[in-house]
Amino acid sequence: MASVTKVVLSRPVTFVTGNAKKLEEVRSILGHSLPLQSHKLDLPELQGEPEAISKEKARLAAEKIKGPVLVEDTCLCFNALKDLPGPYVKWFLDKLGNEGLNNMLMAYEDKSAYALCVFSFATDADTEPETFMGTTEGIIVPPRGPKDFGWDPVFQPDGYEQTFAEMPKEEKNKISHRYRSLAKVKSHLEANYEFDIPSETDANNDSAGNDVEKDTPKKRKREEDDEAAHEETKHKKEEK
């Protein structure tokens, strides 16, 4: 069997998010196997099917980042409502809260739902994004557990008595829609790409929305030059 020639990437993958909780969960699932940094971008809120939305976001993000990107879209789909609210769950949650999401099914006997996570990866703006989907089946229940991470309090996965919000993170990350999608992302990237990243690039940016530059000789030299220029300007002002 012929070996696969891997594509070499000279920059870490930028995960587009400003959500610290989401970044923490993604890092926990991926571990340190892939160089990942994060950056917050204001992308347009698109409409359509989840996969199409995710692919277009990846294209737009790659145009702005000028390098490999990973974007995510999460859906919560109620079977009784023919998969609504789906990709628009963020807006439903903002307006109605978790109580309102649960109340949407009050008139329906069928409380079943599924959580869907769609990740799209693009190496650049000219490359067709690759899409990876993961689902977890469950039911919608009155909110239980901490309310600091989206709609987790109203989603109880099949086979469990706890909502996502009530579950230990380690347990949730073994069965979640995000885990199942990211497992496909990880497998695909490890099989088809390798990273050759210059030392100036910090592949372990720990702050959502910020790019961190490593302390390198080049950086220190620039800081020394800036300080010297500042002192020279200061002395000139004092002489006037």
Side-chain angles (χ1 to χ4, degrees), residues 2-233:
S3 60
V4 177
T5 301
K6 294 185 177 182
V7 177
V8 178
L9 299 177
S10 60
R11 295 182 59 184
V13 175
T14 298
F15 177 42
V16 178
T17 185
N19 186 322
K21 285 278 187 180
K22 186 178 291 187
L23 176 63
E24 177 187 344
E25 192 167 286
V26 168
R27 284 196 185 282
S28 176
I29 294 170
L30 284 180
H32 299 289
S33 60
L34 296 171
L36 186 74
Q37 64 185 15
S38 67
H39 193 79
K40 182 179 179 180
L41 287 178
D42 290 324
L43 297 175
E45 293 298 333
L46 306 172
Q47 297 186 10
E49 293 301 313
E51 185 173 358
I53 291 173
S54 184
K55 280 189 172 185
E56 183 59 22
K57 281 188 175 182
R59 290 191 192 95
L60 295 172
E63 284 181 359
K64 294 189 176 186
I65 296 294
K66 309 297 183 186
V69 297
L70 187 66
V71 303
E72 182 211 39
D73 270 281
T74 301
C75 308
L76 183 61
C77 307
F78 299 170
N79 292 317
L81 300 182
K82 301 187 184 300
D83 293 344
L84 286 173
Y88 312 113
V89 65
K90 174 184 176 181
W91 307 110
F92 279 75
L93 181 61
D94 285 346
K95 296 296 184 181
L96 304 176
N98 279 297
E99 286 283 359
L101 287 178
N102 176 63
N103 291 342
M104 287 173 64
L105 292 179
M106 187 175 294
Y108 297 89
E109 184 176 343
D110 183 4
K111 310 295 185 185
S112 67
Y114 64 93
L116 170 66
C117 183
V118 185
F119 275 95
S120 286
F121 171 75
T123 55
D124 55 60
D126 298 322
T127 304
E128 177 71 12
E130 299 164 293
T131 304
F132 309 88
M133 305 174 75
T135 61
T136 299
E137 303 285 342
I139 58 172
I140 301 302
V141 298
R144 303 195 308 265
K147 299 179 180 180
D148 60 347
F149 196 16
W151 39 263
D152 276 13
V154 298
F155 186 78
Q156 181 176 307
D158 287 347
Y160 291 82
E161 297 299 322
Q162 297 171 303
T163 65
F164 268 172
E166 294 175 304
M167 297 174 71
K169 291 180 182 178
E170 297 77 11
E171 188 67 24
K172 177 192 172 186
N173 287 346
K174 293 177 183 177
I175 65 163
S176 74
H177 51 308
R178 184 169 288 115
Y179 164 77
R180 289 170 175 162
S181 180
L182 276 175
K184 297 176 183 178
V185 172
K186 181 179 178 181
S187 177
H188 177 77
L189 294 185
E190 288 178 344
N192 295 281
Y193 298 89
E194 62 182 51
F195 295 85
D196 184 12
I197 301 171
S199 60
E200 286 84 3
T201 302
D202 182 8
N204 296 303
N205 174 20
D206 289 323
S207 300
N210 295 294
D211 293 323
V212 180
E213 185 181 7
K214 281 188 174 180
D215 185 22
T216 63
K218 185 184 291 185
K219 180 188 176 187
R220 289 195 292 272
K221 178 65 167 56
R222 186 171 65 248
E223 289 174 343
E224 289 170 1
D225 291 344
D226 290 344
E227 181 65 23
H230 174 74
E231 288 298 323
E232 184 178 350
T233 302

